[in-house]
Amino acid sequence: MKDPDVTTPATPLETIFRLTSIQKNGLTKLGVTNADDLLHYFPTRYTSIAEIKHIADLAKGDTATIYGRVVSSKTSKGFRTKIPMTEAVVEDGTGRIKCVWFHQAYISKMLVPEMMVKLSGHVEERGGVPYIANPELVRTNELPLDASGSLFEGEKETQFYPVYSETKGITSRFIYHHIQKLFSKGVLDNIVDPIPKDILAKYNLPTLTTALVWIHAPQKESDAQSARKRFAFEEVFMIQLARQRERALTKEHSGFVIEPEEKALAHFTSRFPFKPTASQIHALKDIFSDFKKGIPMGRLLEGDVGSGKTFVAAISAYAVATTPPHDNKFGNLQVAYMAPTEILAEQHFKSFIEYFQSGAGDKSGNPIEIGLLTGSVAKKFPSKLDPSGATKVSKAQLLKWVAEGKLPILIGTHALIQKSVQFKNLGLAIVDEQHKFGTMQRGKLVRKDTFIPHLLSMTATPIPRTLALTIYGNLDLTLLDEMPVGRLPIKTEFVTKNNRKEIEEHIREEINNGRQAYIICPRINEPDPEKGLALNAKSVITEAKRIAEDIFPEFEVGVLHGKMKPAEKEWVMEEFKKGAIHILVATSVIEVGVNVPNATIIVIEGAERFGLAQLHQLRGRVIRSNHQAYCYILTDSTNEVSHKRLKALVGAKNGFELAELDLTLRGSGELSGGKQWGISDLGMEAIKNIKMVEAARAEAYRIIAENPDLTKYPLLRSKIDTHLKETHWE
Ligand code: ADP
Ligand code: MG
């Protein structure tokens, strides 16, 4: 193919380079189709040759980390011992080595030829042939070495090499060379920097052109760092601009005016078996003051696990569901309440039935009707036959009621954002555990119309302030920073040694005292190749069997995980709630929201595999009553940083403190959780820097305040409109 005359960022790569179909597919998989995409495909890290251990150099007695590709693998049995084991051969371009996992025959099922792996272990020898025994195994998508065993050949004078994430057909080296070619074709001459010059100057950031050169071909480490800083700033700045603009756009729309009658509200509130905390009252004040303004509310309710967010949601829902639509004296506004899992949606449905049953609603004393919609079921309360309970209905029927405005409250999962779900008068969208949803999903619930429903987003995963500032730039914040009275601080113990016996005795004691327990395992079943090669981690299935048969034959042991059928999950939760199941062995599916106040003890196996915020959430399952609660954090890991993180859990006062710690203690590689907020790993690096986030926020704020339509910044505007279209306003 001939070179086009001009290479611009928009030029498709296939018109610039001759690509095989495997390469084309590989690039597509990496999200790279044009020159700009490739230029923005950043190295995941840099390396110098010294770091790399070659297989050819390994010798008996070494403890080594190598990268390589799997050549073959099989199961076998020890010659005399008959121990089942996996034998695999791995190569890195300099040589091949055998790896042996004793007692772990299943590993062979997870290894496939060509898979890229990182192995760490001890080199032993048998009959003069070296092998690695029981290496720790991590699946990887990049190899610092390419197949020939050398990094960019012929360029050895450079000390500092970019390493790119690879995929089938696309090596790190391919990316490096093609980016260099783009540079030499003059693509940088045709690039326009979206960030205004004065902002770059103010924060001492390199221009786009310089930054692209520095990130892909740095002469020294500080150049690469400057470049990364610039792109991180750019990312946070763009998100901020989009959020601020979105906020400005939302405020141009009308919101329903909701002013509940004080007496009715007080009556409804009195139905709860507790007195609201000062925090809950404060949160409701914030919400009701928004409700009066006539512009759509966008509020984030951030409260630690167990702080009682559902109560706030229920009172707000009541106020909306008893308000007639603006154009009518009859009927009512509607409430959508979205939860991230079926278990949680069911749980909210049941709680709401309790709160909204007869006597709650209008003066006639009728109940307020509630629907439930999940991927697998549609239900309605009250049932015609049994006015105190719910009944299954067809999805079509439920949706018809919703569309006619006859169902004031609809609770559900992601199912609520399907196109087929049309509300007549949606006045309030509540998103529970909103960090579990993408921005797009949250946005879809609040579709654009003359009237935009109020949005109450709730989260218990405390996130670092920098992240909150970045991703919630469009929301007002209310904190629930107080626990209901009488809650005892949870006793958390960090356990590395195997004193399981003591823990088991403690569980027995608690259950004999009428309480219940959770045991959390990192995996559902024996190895799950989908999730990388997380080995030696306990699985729910095996552990449940073990404790039911060997440890607690006198108790009922239940199992709960994400792959079970919804009806099974519901049944297990029901039994656990009733107390018929004493010990629930589960994956982190119970992480969010599950509320069984009688459960007071939680054991978390393989804790190093969970994030701190997640562990805190899990622990939150057992601080929902006034009984003393206990949490055991178990790990077999000997990694010092892991230990430090896990110990933080013992001491931290609250989730917010933990979130900050998690951010500083975790490597940026582990922060890839940013994806759920639409932030890249690079952007997450920026989140560690409060000054940078505040600067980006301040600049975005200033620009939108001066020029809300961004007419003076056409390039920024087009970028941001694309972003908004993708996330909210389609
Ligand atoms: P979260 O904020 O984690 O969603 P929930 O709303 O599930 O918490 O509440 C946790 C538990 O605390 C529930 O059993 C709830 O009924 C109870 N609760 C909520 N508010 C109060 C309060 N003010 N006093 C006592 N218990 C409360
Ligand atoms: Mg909750």
Side-chain angles (χ1 to χ4, degrees):
M1 218 171 279
K2 261 200 353 212
D3 284 357
D5 294 325
V6 194
T7 306
T8 70
T11 316
L13 284 183
E14 49 191 317
T15 68
I16 312 174
F17 304 117
R18 201 187 296 271
L19 299 171
T20 67
S21 64
I22 294 179
Q23 287 168 336
K24 260 188 247 173
N25 290 342
L27 287 169
T28 310
K29 205 167 148 210
L30 298 176
V32 174
T33 55
N34 63 21
D36 198 47
D37 298 334
L38 188 60
L39 291 175
H40 282 86
Y41 192 77
F42 296 148
T44 48
R45 62 194 185 92
Y46 301 86
T47 187
S48 60
I49 283 198
E51 242 180 67
I52 299 161
K53 270 262 187 193
H54 289 180
I55 287 178
D57 299 335
L58 296 179
K60 186 183 170 191
D62 286 351
T63 301
T65 296
I66 56 157
Y67 285 84
R69 284 177 204 272
V70 174
V71 178
S72 63
S73 86
K74 60 171 188 193
T75 52
S76 60
K77 283 215 160 80
F79 179 62
R80 256 169 297 136
T81 54
K82 301 286 175 234
I83 295 175
M85 58 189 184
T86 298
E87 287 183 293
V89 175
V90 172
E91 73 173 353
D92 74 350
T94 70
R96 294 183 170 195
I97 191 158
K98 191 154 97 169
C99 304
V100 181
W101 289 268
F102 300 100
H103 292 292
Q104 297 173 79
Y106 58 82
I107 290 180
S108 77
K109 290 200 201 102
M110 308 188 307
L111 297 173
V112 289
E114 286 298 297
M115 180 189 263
M116 294 185 270
V117 291
K118 178 185 165 198
L119 298 165
S120 310
H122 201 67
V123 182
E124 320 228 347
E125 215 178 79
R126 196 183 169 139
V129 184
Y131 68 95
I132 311 183
N134 291 325
E136 193 179 296
L137 177 59
V138 180
R139 184 180 192 161
T140 165
N141 53 5
E142 59 175 37
L143 294 183
L145 286 170
D146 71 19
S148 73
S150 62
L151 263 161
F152 324 113
E153 253 176 313
E155 293 144 31
K156 289 229 164 74
E157 68 280 3
T158 320
Q159 285 300 303
F160 210 57
Y161 301 97
V163 179
Y164 299 88
S165 191
E166 299 186 331
T167 189
K168 193 166 177 220
I170 302 294
T171 60
S172 183
R173 178 180 178 162
F174 173 98
I175 293 165
Y176 179 79
H177 283 299
H178 283 77
I179 289 174
Q180 301 303 314
K181 279 187 207 154
L182 284 182
F183 286 169
S184 64
K185 282 176 188 294
V187 70
L188 294 177
D189 303 336
N190 299 309
I191 266 179
V192 192
D193 197 333
I195 305 186
K197 280 202 182 58
D198 56 324
I199 296 183
L200 292 176
K202 189 164 164 190
Y203 300 102
N204 200 13
L205 297 167
T207 62
L208 180 55
T209 315
T210 308
L212 283 171
V213 175
W214 282 357
I215 203 162
H216 292 297
Q219 294 293 323
K220 50 185 193 296
E221 197 171 350
S222 60
D223 285 354
Q225 274 168 2
S226 289
R228 295 184 90 82
K229 194 168 141 199
R230 183 227 133 94
F231 288 115
F233 178 91
E234 179 174 335
E235 184 170 341
V236 175
F237 176 65
M238 289 297 177
I239 296 173
Q240 289 286 352
L241 267 181
R243 296 288 188 273
Q244 300 287 345
R245 179 156 158 74
E246 183 189 340
R247 190 188 171 101
L249 285 174
T250 311
K251 297 221 153 132
E252 285 168 12
H253 289 267
S254 309
F256 298 98
V257 175
I258 291 152
E259 286 185 278
E261 208 187 298
E262 298 256 332
K263 244 177 145 180
L265 197 63
H267 174 68
F268 180 71
T269 310
S270 71
R271 299 173 65 98
F272 288 80
F274 48 74
K275 251 183 76 196
T277 62
S279 263
Q280 285 169 324
I281 292 171
H282 176 85
L284 286 168
K285 270 206 183 119
D286 281 355
I287 292 167
F288 287 134
S289 117
D290 287 350
F291 277 179
K292 282 184 196 143
K293 289 181 185 155
I295 50 173
M297 171 174 86
R299 189 165 285 282
L300 177 70
L301 183 65
E302 202 171 349
D304 221 338
V305 274
S307 57
K309 292 182 291 296
T310 317
F311 170 80
V312 177
I315 304 287
S316 312
Y318 171 81
V320 175
T322 52
T323 300
H326 59 290
D327 55 357
N328 208 323
K329 285 214 159 40
F330 304 100
N332 49 270
L333 291 174
Q334 291 168 292
V335 178
Y337 190 175
M338 184 160 76
T341 62
E342 297 206 354
I343 297 174
L344 204 47
E346 284 275 358
Q347 181 181 292
H348 287 327
F349 184 57
K350 293 207 175 85
S351 317
F352 267 47
I353 289 174
E354 233 170 82
Y355 310 150
F356 291 90
Q357 63 187 297
S358 61
D362 51 22
K363 294 184 183 84
S364 65
N366 292 330
I368 292 179
E369 303 196 358
I370 310 170
L372 173 74
L373 181 67
T374 68
S376 59
V377 78
K379 289 186 191 173
K380 175 179 166 290
F381 164 83
S383 144
K384 273 211 185 84
L385 294 175
D386 167 19
S388 68
T391 180
K392 277 194 187 164
V393 293
S394 77
K395 193 175 158 192
Q397 179 61 65
L398 190 78
L399 292 180
K400 189 162 167 279
W401 284 324
V402 172
E404 289 168 351
K406 285 183 184 152
L407 204 56
I409 300 178
L410 182 63
I411 298 176
T413 54
H414 298 72
L416 296 193
I417 54 179
Q418 293 159 3
K419 283 233 156 58
S420 57
V421 185
Q422 295 289 344
F423 291 86
K424 180 148 192 255
N425 288 306
L426 185 60
L428 170 66
I430 304 173
V431 183
D432 193 20
E433 307 293 351
Q434 60 91 37
H435 55 281
K436 291 276 159 189
F437 295 98
T439 355
M440 179 153 76
Q441 294 166 327
R442 300 197 296 263
K444 271 194 181 158
L445 199 51
V446 186
R447 289 198 187 101
K448 189 179 175 183
D449 211 337
T450 331
F451 276 84
I452 293 188
H454 299 294
L455 171 69
L456 177 63
S457 253
M458 311 199 292
T459 185
T461 289
I463 57 170
R465 198 158 71 94
T466 46
L467 189 56
L469 286 176
T470 304
I471 54 185
Y472 305 132
N474 56 327
L475 298 177
D476 297 313
L477 185 69
T478 295
L479 288 182
L480 271 191
D481 50 7
E482 184 186 8
M483 284 290 174
V485 282
R487 295 276 160 85
L488 300 168
I490 187 166
K491 292 193 175 153
T492 302
E493 206 173 305
F494 172 59
V495 185
T496 49
K497 287 190 307 293
N498 246 346
N499 52 350
R500 254 166 231 285
K501 271 261 152 337
E502 263 170 56
I503 299 173
E504 285 158 8
E505 274 321 303
H506 190 183
I507 293 178
R508 180 166 285 119
E509 198 180 306
E510 283 290 303
I511 296 177
N512 286 335
N513 281 334
R515 305 280 84 78
Q516 288 163 279
Y518 294 101
I519 295 178
I520 309 302
C521 301
R523 288 191 285 121
I524 296 177
N525 212 332
E526 285 317 310
D528 176 358
E530 292 291 302
K531 295 227 166 95
L533 303 175
L535 301 181
N536 303 326
K538 292 221 175 215
S539 80
V540 166
I541 307 284
T542 327
E543 187 64 3
K545 187 162 179 287
R546 185 183 77 86
I547 64 163
E549 287 174 3
D550 304 344
I551 316 286
F552 300 116
E554 73 271 44
F555 298 140
E556 273 310 312
V557 176
V559 160
L560 191 71
H561 59 73
K563 290 224 170 108
M564 283 162 57
K565 295 211 180 76
E568 289 171 346
K569 282 194 262 188
E570 197 189 328
W571 183 83
V572 170
M573 274 321 291
E574 202 57 45
E575 294 296 292
F576 190 57
K577 240 182 174 151
K578 280 198 307 216
I581 289 176
H582 302 108
I583 305 175
L584 188 60
V585 184
T587 55
S588 57
V589 287
I590 65 132
E591 170 197 341
V592 285
V594 168
N595 186 29
V596 178
N598 192 48
T600 54
I601 187 162
I602 185 165
V603 178
I604 304 171
E605 299 272 3
E608 76 282 359
R609 286 166 210 278
F610 300 102
L612 276 186
Q614 202 182 4
L615 288 168
H616 181 65
Q617 276 274 352
L618 285 168
R619 178 169 64 172
R621 292 317 107 219
V622 295
I623 30 178
R624 320 187 74 79
S625 73
N626 292 347
H627 298 295
Q628 176 64 56
Y630 305 88
C631 172
Y632 290 100
I633 309 281
L634 270 54
T635 181
D636 294 326
S637 161
T638 50
N639 182 296
E640 226 172 276
V641 179
S642 289
H643 281 200
K644 210 165 154 192
R645 278 179 49 221
L646 296 176
K647 277 185 198 147
L649 211 61
V650 179
K653 281 196 288 298
N654 56 44
F656 296 96
E657 208 178 292
L658 271 180
E660 299 288 345
L661 260 170
D662 209 10
L663 187 63
T664 39
L665 290 177
R666 280 193 180 214
S668 56
E670 289 173 76
L671 282 171
S672 39
K675 291 210 175 64
Q676 65 180 313
W677 298 297
I679 299 181
S680 72
D681 291 353
L682 187 68
M684 287 303 282
E685 274 175 46
I687 301 293
K688 288 189 173 188
N689 182 343
I690 177 96
K691 283 219 180 77
M692 181 192 288
V693 172
E694 276 172 349
R697 184 177 163 91
E699 295 304 332
Y701 193 82
R702 180 178 60 82
I703 287 181
I704 294 290
E706 277 170 24
N707 185 207
D709 285 332
L710 293 173
T711 42
K712 287 191 227 156
Y713 306 93
L715 194 56
L716 283 180
R717 183 179 164 142
S718 82
K719 286 206 165 210
I720 275 142
D721 281 352
T722 318
H723 179 83
L724 287 181
K725 211 180 253 144
E726 278 167 6
T727 53
H728 283 238
W729 304 97
E730 44 110 71

